[in-house]
């Protein structure tokens, strides 16, 4: 392939990537918990990629007012069809618990909330009080944006590879924050295993 042709193709790919990611990196609008949890929700019941920005980050060294995490709905499944979509997933992050939201698990660990085993002891959350504290913190600080995408897992890989997304762990070993965050979450899980099951 001639060098000029290769450069044109790379430029086209980069241009397409920038165009696709701008609504996540520099969104025209960010949405709060109060705005997306209403009914009817402005979130579409469609597949796509969502990005999280924070007025105040969970740690000062992460920087405020920028994209720190991306997620997708649904995830790729080879053997069955997922029922997840942007509306269900984003709303769950805002009001669910750490057992079902890796974003909530990460944020709670960074904020110093105590992870506990609950129920049968197989699930780990921050308990009722801790999850309520986290939900309030997210309502105050976490803002979300999204783009619809038929195969969101394809764009997710590019986003994680190309952007600095310190709160993403999966596919993100190259990020400078990865080892620190992984260790912090591992320590929280280990402490939870040593504590009695929370009611």
């Amino acid at each position: 392939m001639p060098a000029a042709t290769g450069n044109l193709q790379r430029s086209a790919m980069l241009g397409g990537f920038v165009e696709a990611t701008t609504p996540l990196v520099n969104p025209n609008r960010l949405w709060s918990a109060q705005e997306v949890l209403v009914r009817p929700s402005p979130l579409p019941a469609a597949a796509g990629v969502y990005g999280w920005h924070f007025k105040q980050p969970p740690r000062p060294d992460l920087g405020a007012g920028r994209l720190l995490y991306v997620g997708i709905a649904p995830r790729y499944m080879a053997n069955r069809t997922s029922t997840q979509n942007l509306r269900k997933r984003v709303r769950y992050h805002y009001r669910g618990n750490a057992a079902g939201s890796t974003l909530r698990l990460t944020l709670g660990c960074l904020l110093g909330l105590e992870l506990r085993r609950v129920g049968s002891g197989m699930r780990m959350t921050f308990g009722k009080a801790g999850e309520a504290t986290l939900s309030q913190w997210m309502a105050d600080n976490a803002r979300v944006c999204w783009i619809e995408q038929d195969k969101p897992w394809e764009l997710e890989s590019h986003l994680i590879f190309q952007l600095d997304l310190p709160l993403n762990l999966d596919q993100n070993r190259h990020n400078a924050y990865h080892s620190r965050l992984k260790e912090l979450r591992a320590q929280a899980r280990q402490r939870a295993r040593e504590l009695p099951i929370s009611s």
Side-chain angles (χ1 to χ4, degrees), residues 66-192:
R66 73 175 189 90
L67 180 67
L68 295 179
Y69 179 89
V70 296
I72 62 172
R75 300 207 71 77
Y76 174 74
M77 292 187 173
N79 300 322
R80 63 189 179 90
T81 302
S82 173
T83 61
Q84 286 294 316
N85 59 47
L86 286 168
R87 184 182 300 164
K88 289 180 182 178
R89 197 71 195 132
V90 170
R91 287 166 65 97
Y92 189 89
H93 284 312
Y94 265 130
R95 64 178 183 183
N97 62 60
S101 165
T102 188
L103 175 62
R104 288 182 70 92
L105 174 62
T106 290
L107 292 173
C109 288
L110 288 169
L111 291 167
L113 299 176
E114 185 178 68
L115 195 64
R116 297 294 298 267
R117 292 180 297 144
V118 297
S120 66
M122 299 299 290
R123 294 168 60 249
M124 292 185 185
T125 75
F126 297 109
K128 288 181 181 177
E131 294 290 350
T133 297
L134 179 54
S135 291
Q136 185 59 57
W137 185 90
M138 290 185 71
D140 293 340
N141 296 289
R143 299 294 181 266
V144 70
C145 55
W146 60 86
I147 55 175
E148 293 184 40
Q149 186 84 6
D150 287 340
K151 296 179 180 178
W153 50 88
E154 293 179 355
L155 181 56
E156 181 190 38
S157 297
H158 291 294
L159 288 165
I160 292 172
F161 184 72
Q162 297 284 347
L163 302 176
D164 177 22
L165 298 167
L167 300 189
N168 281 85
L169 277 182
D170 189 36
Q171 306 178 66
N172 205 20
R173 285 182 180 274
H174 60 277
N175 192 280
Y177 213 72
H178 185 273
S179 59
R180 182 177 175 187
L181 180 55
K182 187 176 180 181
E183 179 63 21
L184 187 67
R185 291 191 2 169
Q187 289 173 355
R189 285 193 177 102
Q190 184 55 42
R191 283 196 301 271

Side-chain angles (χ1 to χ4, degrees), residues 1-53:
M1 176 190 302
T5 304
N7 289 337
L8 282 172
Q9 287 183 343
R10 280 190 291 277
S11 294
M13 287 175 62
L14 180 60
F17 176 78
V18 170
E19 185 179 342
T21 59
T22 295
L24 296 172
V25 178
N26 294 304
N28 291 327
R29 166 135 192 215
L30 289 167
W31 300 78
S32 68
Q34 183 179 5
E35 291 171 316
V36 301
L37 292 176
V38 297
R39 294 182 185 277
S41 174
L43 282 156
V49 182
Y50 51 86
W52 291 90
H53 298 243

